[in-house]
Amino acid sequence: GSQRWRRAAAETEAAEAEEAAEAALLAASPDGWLRSILDELQQSVEELSPASARRLRAELARDHTPFAPAWRASFADVTAHGVCGVCGADLSAGPLVPAQRARLREGLLAAAAARGPLHGLALRAFGEWVSRRGYKYVVDGANVAYRNQNYDGGRFSLEQVGLLLDELRRRSGGAAPLLVLPKVYLTARLVPNHTQPRVVPSKERAAYSAAEAAIAKRLRGSEHVWAVPDGSNDDWYWMLATLVLADSGGGGGGGGGGG
């Protein structure tokens, strides 16, 4: 009984301290307090119900609030580029909430399983492996290698991958990023210069330069490289890695982006 009372007292003190801190912030900076509340709301709620949205708008419209007249809430359309239709501000992309990450994770595993049982098992094993690591960055190697290569003579550039890995290691104080790369780019004598390596004719394949061959050899011996098995979609892997790392409190920054 005494332990329950002490625990209840501690919880009460913690709640009172939090309320006091919020009151102090509200008194010192109403805008800062409201912004912190809205940021917390964005992080924890996937989507406001219409009733909650109407109530929020009504509360901010009251003249006697500490936020008047600087704050007003309006319903607005948002463009495909994230621009507010009312104030014209560029809206920042909010992070996925846990429920959204869970749905996307299950969708990736289902897509892999639909390709074949072994693909599903391989992706699930990768997710379990990543969950035991603490990567800050995840690199979609194929997209990095093809970036800015859309011109006559452009090709898969493993040197671009090597440069990015070195830069990310420098930014993270020496910690290695995770590289996800289709197996063919690490093991084949002739690598495809195409984003669909399984359908590229042999005449569109090319050998690595000496510098790239050295990079490929280094990557094959690295514990921070995951070679995606033939027939799997490498996007499944880097996307799953970011989701798993986000759930485990890791970084998971990065992704892909060709061009």
Side-chain angles (χ1 to χ4, degrees), residues 170-257:
R170 183 191 66 79
R171 292 187 184 186
S172 56
L178 169 62
L179 173 65
V180 173
L181 195 64
K183 181 181 177 181
V184 64
Y185 293 111
L186 294 171
T187 60
R189 186 178 64 85
L190 297 176
V191 297
N193 285 323
H194 195 285
T195 57
Q196 299 293 330
R198 288 176 292 146
V199 299
V200 176
S202 58
K203 67 180 181 180
E204 294 185 21
R205 296 173 181 259
Y208 280 141
S209 66
E212 288 176 318
I215 295 173
K217 181 178 180 180
R218 173 166 59 90
L219 295 178
R220 285 195 297 270
S222 172
E223 63 176 328
H224 305 293
V225 177
W226 192 275
V228 177
D230 293 338
S232 283
N233 188 329
D234 57 311
D235 288 339
W236 298 337
Y237 283 77
W238 71 257
M239 291 175 69
L240 182 63
T242 61
L243 296 169
V244 170
L245 291 170
D247 284 335
S248 62

Side-chain angles (χ1 to χ4, degrees), residues 2 13 15 19 23 31 47 49 64 66 69 71 79 81 97 102 112 122 133 141 144 179 233-234 243 246 254 258:
S2 60
E13 291 178 0
E19 289 178 1
D31 285 358
E47 183 177 0
S49 67
H64 65 275
W71 288 81
T79 71
H81 299 289
V97 300
R133 318 284 287 200
V144 172
L179 173 65
N233 188 329
D234 57 311
L243 296 169

Side-chain angles (χ1 to χ4, degrees), residues 23-38:
L25 179 57
L26 175 58
S29 174
D31 285 358
W33 180 85
L34 181 58
R35 190 176 297 277
S36 70
I37 294 298
L38 293 177

